[in-house]
Amino acid sequence: MRIRSVRPTRSARPVRSVLALAAALAAVLVSAPRGSAAVARPADCPERALTVRATASDDPRVLHVAVTNRLPVACALDRFPTVTFGDLDGAALPVPDGESAPYRIGAGATVHAAVRTVADPADPEARRVGSVGVAVAPSHHGRSFTARELGAGDAVLVWEPVTTWWQPSEAAADRTLGLNLS
């Protein structure tokens, strides 16, 4: 059998938009037969299609993280954010304990996580960092927020930080940490 190379013609145009690609993916998923044993997982969310925010809460030990999917279709994040602190090694541990896994975020939806940076602000072992990094998937670079942007003054206190899995609201994320802030 002979294989011919295919050269694109001038009329062939590459998909130029994440939105066009997402719409095509949605059409395929919608046309899939229902009730089949295999459930299609949404495509990973492209970083540029997400809005990531981090803000201080009423509790100086806790930050709120929110992510909005600006695509017209669902996509997948990691099950919890990767939250890092300045130049310190490591990241906040997930609560409840768990491993990385896909988390579906709907079209136009916003999900929330709460991050406890330090259990006791008076802890003499607490470190001080000038920024907090948030990434919503291992393949993403993430976004960095300065302590001032977070309303923490010159530094964020950190010692044994934890982060919740994505939740539908700030209040649900706070409850996961055993707090009633929202």
Side-chain angles (χ1 to χ4, degrees), residues 118-143:
V118 64
D120 177 7
D123 188 335
E125 294 195 53
R127 304 290 185 252
R128 288 166 171 65
V129 296
S131 64
V132 174
V134 178
V136 299
S139 63
H140 291 189
H141 294 291
R143 181 165 171 211

Side-chain angles (χ1 to χ4, degrees), residues 76-82 99-103 135-138 166:
L77 308 171
D78 197 21
R79 143 184 332 187
F80 47 81
T82 300
E99 295 182 13
S100 178
Y103 179 88
V136 299
W166 295 115

